[in-house]
């Protein structure tokens, strides 16, 4: 089972920041936090990942709390194309083949 | 930007028939994966493959499933005798096999419909 808890759905106005929370209170020291999204029935799309420091890339920012028990994915200026299901996944990665365990994710609706 | 590709995009088959789903992973990746998603349900891991052998498989990946890397570019999932409950989206993924941090990139999927 997934080791994360996410709200089932969220709305965000177009152009505003979308802040998607994730709880992972049982995360261990060797586990990374990964975020993927799935637009309609397309393949999951990698967004960002981190261990304990905040991370930013061209798609999003990832804020991880100091105790690592929760994180927030931030889409700085949401567009209609960001409407998708967003998955927060905790993953042990000392080797390269750990499967991703998907939960139900958060369905983000970006509204014009 | 390199992408994982999958063919066909949609496969319709009769129950009991064999199907082969094909994937071309990203060229310098070494780990390959299959996941599936039954309509309205979660994405589920099926199998991972490295160095020409299965690394890990889930309970779903029973004897009716097999994987193969027949050449240097393709990675296939075979279902020997399809059942109605095999109807799902099947996603292939690949990764570089880096220690400590390893990102899996997914293909667009094959929609399998078993009649």
């Amino acid at each position: 089972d997934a080791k994360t808890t996410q709200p089932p759905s969220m709305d965000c106005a177009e152009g505003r920041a979308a802040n998607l929370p994730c709880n992972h209170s049982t995360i261990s020291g060797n586990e990374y936090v990964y975020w993927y999204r799935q637009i309609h029935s397309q393949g999951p799309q990698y967004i960002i990942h981190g261990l304990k420091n905040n991370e930013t890339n061209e798609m999003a920012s990832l804020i991880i709390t100091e105790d690592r028990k929760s994180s927030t994915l931030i889409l700085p200026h949401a567009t209609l194309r960001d409407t998708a299901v967003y998955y927060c996944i905790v993953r042990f990665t000392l080797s390269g083949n750990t499967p991703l365990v998907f939960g139900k994710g958060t369905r983000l609706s970006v509204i014009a | 930007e390199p992408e994982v590709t999958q063919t066909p995009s949609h496969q319709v088959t009769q129950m009991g028939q064999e199907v082969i789903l094909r994937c071309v992973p990203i060229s310098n990746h070494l780990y390959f994966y299959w996941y599936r998603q039954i309509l309205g349900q979660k994405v589920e891991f099926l199998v991972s493959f490295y160095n020409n052998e299965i690394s890990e498989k889930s309970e779903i990946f029973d004897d009716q499933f097999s994987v193969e890397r027949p050449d240097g570019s393709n990675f296939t999932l075979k279902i020997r005798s399809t059942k109605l409950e095999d109807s799902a989206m099947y996603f292939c993924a690949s990764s570089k096999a880096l220690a400590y941090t390893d990102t899996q990139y997914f293909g667009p999927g094959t929609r399998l419909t078993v009649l």
Side-chain angles (χ1 to χ4, degrees):
Chain A
D1 285 349
K3 297 176 64 174
T4 61
T5 304
Q6 299 178 252
S9 63
M10 292 181 64
D11 292 338
C12 178
E14 189 179 19
R16 304 297 295 268
N19 296 277
L20 293 96
C22 179
N23 285 318
H24 31 80
S25 58
T26 61
I27 194 169
S28 68
N30 293 320
E31 290 179 319
Y32 282 73
V33 180
Y34 280 77
W35 283 83
Y36 281 78
R37 72 181 182 183
Q38 189 174 26
I39 297 172
H40 196 47
S41 294
Q42 298 175 24
Q45 179 188 22
Y46 166 76
I47 302 173
I48 199 167
H49 74 281
L51 182 63
K52 54 184 177 181
N53 297 321
N54 297 337
E55 302 287 345
T56 295
N57 64 18
E58 65 278 4
M59 288 183 69
S61 294
L62 174 60
I63 309 298
I64 302 174
T65 57
E66 193 168 339
D67 63 7
R68 300 187 70 238
K69 293 184 177 182
S70 65
S71 60
T72 301
L73 178 75
I74 301 172
L75 308 178
H77 305 287
T79 70
L80 298 177
R81 288 178 295 179
D82 292 322
T83 293
V85 179
Y86 287 77
Y87 300 100
C88 170
I89 299 170
V90 164
R91 182 166 172 248
F92 178 73
T93 54
L94 279 185
S95 62
N97 66 342
T98 313
L100 294 166
V101 179
F102 288 82
K104 296 182 178 179
T106 295
R107 182 173 297 279
L108 176 69
S109 298
V110 180
I111 302 165
Chain B
E1 186 173 320
E3 294 180 335
V4 176
T5 60
Q6 292 185 241
T7 55
S9 57
H10 191 187
Q11 174 87 47
V12 181
T13 189
Q14 295 291 325
M15 188 170 55
Q17 295 296 303
E18 175 183 287
V19 295
I20 297 176
L21 310 183
R22 291 181 169 80
C23 167
V24 178
I26 295 172
S27 63
N28 62 346
H29 285 189
L30 300 177
Y31 269 109
F32 314 118
Y33 313 80
W34 285 101
Y35 291 79
R36 80 170 185 190
Q37 185 176 33
I38 295 171
L39 184 64
Q41 299 187 23
K42 301 175 190 177
V43 177
E44 302 173 289
F45 168 74
L46 292 178
V47 65
S48 60
F49 189 86
Y50 174 71
N51 200 26
N52 282 319
E53 60 183 26
I54 291 174
S55 297
E56 188 171 347
K57 60 183 181 179
S58 71
E59 292 179 353
I60 303 169
F61 193 87
D62 60 22
D63 291 344
Q64 71 159 345
F65 291 93
S66 62
V67 289
E68 188 180 28
R69 186 150 165 85
D71 54 42
S73 60
N74 289 285
F75 179 53
T76 62
L77 174 69
K78 182 192 291 186
I79 309 175
R80 279 184 246 288
S81 178
T82 51
K83 305 171 188 171
L84 295 176
E85 54 264 37
D86 293 328
S87 294
M89 286 290 293
Y90 287 81
F91 298 109
C92 174
S94 69
S95 66
K96 284 187 179 179
L98 299 172
Y100 298 104
T101 174
D102 181 61
T103 299
Q104 295 178 25
Y105 295 92
F106 286 76
T110 293
R111 180 177 299 280
L112 177 64
T113 302
V114 182
L115 302 176

